[in-house]
Amino acid sequence: MLKYVLKRIALMILSLFIIMTMLFVLIRLLPNPVEAVQGGYDRALRDMREAWGYNKPVMVQYAIFLRNVFTRWDWGFCTTMGTFLQPVTTYIVGKLPATVYINVFSVLFSLPVGITFGIIAAVNKNKWPDHVIQFFIMLFISVPSFVYAFFLQYFVGYRLNLCPLIFKDGTDWFTWPMFHSAIMPVLALSFGPVAGNMRLIRAELTEQLTSEYMLLARAKGLTRMQATVRHAFRNSMVPLMPSFLGDFIGILGGSMIIEQIFAVPGIGKTYVMSIALKDYSVFMAISMFYVAIGLAAGIVSDLSYGFIDPRIRMGGDRKNEL
């Protein structure tokens, strides 16, 4: 198991390095907007460009970039965003809490709701609760999250005036005004994952409930609820863990648009703005942030199989046992 984990981590680092190299080279081939900056910052800008080797060949620039990242965790400086020549890491760290806030609440809401209604649909297969849940599954999956965002803003925020139209930025994250302003972006991000979880749980649990071992469990005296909770539900979770982690990555990616709609000052909105404003250092750092999370989620997803079902072994451990 340890050998498998180390191998996957090594492959993740190699993938990060390859992607980072491609991004850096492609970005350096684009026109650099910092050359057009005028005003009283010309001297500071020239000094910073000289320190980062902007006037040297691309591979020399990349060597300087790697040295700064791995020795000082310095991803460069802002040119068109934030304070002029502000360190990118400082700027991004200030935007991270808002994104973490709405994404964590989205995951905490979508997982239990999706699992609960998926179980209800599976237990009541082909009955009216199942038909109602399947209708909402098709509705939530078919419609993009930004459409829900506009509907929520108009009906919940504007017509009914139940929630603020935009996210309230601040430092008091665990207060009712902050949570109240986050309800609509959290709901907009959660509808799609909720529907996906309901559909997968229903399909997998329905198959487990009709398996032969369930008949054996009932024959031994277990009630239907006991057999479902102890056996069917646990077995149905094994193939679903990768989809749960995929939901988290999907929520994180979908928050780019939702943060724009609800004015959430997070990483997603900053990422989109870095493209529009051509701040390539910010774009590079946030791109690697998303890539690292995606690759790490893949490793955790694979390892989760063994934790849920101890019979599953990774990396050839089964052969060693024999």
Side-chain angles (χ1 to χ4, degrees), residues 27-213:
I27 287 173
R28 286 296 186 268
L29 294 177
L30 296 173
N32 198 326
V34 299
E35 296 178 350
V37 176
Q38 298 178 358
Y41 301 105
D42 292 346
R43 179 64 180 273
L45 178 60
R46 286 197 300 269
D47 293 342
M48 187 66 76
R49 284 173 56 85
E50 185 66 27
W52 276 79
Y54 274 48
N55 299 320
K56 297 178 181 179
V58 174
M59 297 313 298
V60 177
Q61 295 182 38
Y62 188 50
I64 296 173
F65 172 79
L66 292 178
R67 181 195 65 191
N68 292 336
V69 169
F70 289 108
T71 59
R72 298 180 297 177
W73 199 246
D74 186 358
W75 288 82
F77 53 92
C78 299
T79 54
T80 58
M81 301 180 66
T83 305
F84 185 64
L85 300 184
Q86 180 183 8
V88 169
T89 51
T90 303
Y91 181 67
I92 292 178
V93 167
K95 302 294 183 180
L96 191 59
T99 294
V100 173
Y101 190 82
I102 64 171
N103 279 272
V104 167
F105 278 112
S106 298
V107 172
L108 293 177
F109 176 79
S110 62
L111 280 181
V113 172
I115 292 173
T116 301
F117 283 98
I119 293 174
I120 294 174
V123 173
N124 298 279
K125 183 181 178 183
N126 296 329
K127 298 180 181 179
W128 71 265
D130 182 29
H131 296 315
V132 173
I133 291 174
Q134 288 196 67
F135 169 77
F136 283 103
I137 288 175
M138 296 303 299
L139 178 64
F140 290 158
I141 288 181
S142 303
V143 181
S145 60
F146 64 86
V147 176
Y148 298 126
F150 289 129
F151 272 99
L152 287 170
Q153 269 194 332
Y154 180 74
F155 290 104
V156 179
Y158 176 69
R159 301 291 296 183
L160 300 177
N161 196 26
L162 296 177
C163 296
L165 291 174
I166 61 175
F167 182 79
K168 179 182 178 181
D169 188 18
T171 57
D172 298 329
W173 297 101
F174 300 101
T175 60
W176 169 247
M178 180 66 70
F179 178 76
H180 190 209
S181 67
I183 290 177
M184 288 199 296
V186 167
L187 288 177
L189 287 172
S190 300
F191 285 143
V194 164
N197 293 334
M198 287 192 297
R199 181 179 63 176
L200 292 173
I201 284 288
R202 179 193 177 278
E204 190 63 30
L205 189 56
T206 299
E207 181 180 352
Q208 297 296 330
L209 290 174
T210 56
S211 301
E212 294 182 356
Y213 73 86

Side-chain angles (χ1 to χ4, degrees), residues 7 12 24 39 80 87 90 92 123 131 136 173 196 200 214 221 228 233 243 272 285 306-307 309:
K7 180 180 178 181
M12 182 187 75
F24 185 89
T80 58
T90 303
I92 292 178
V123 173
H131 296 315
F136 283 103
W173 297 101
L200 292 173
M214 287 293 293
T228 301
F233 179 68
S243 68
V272 176
F307 289 108
D309 191 344

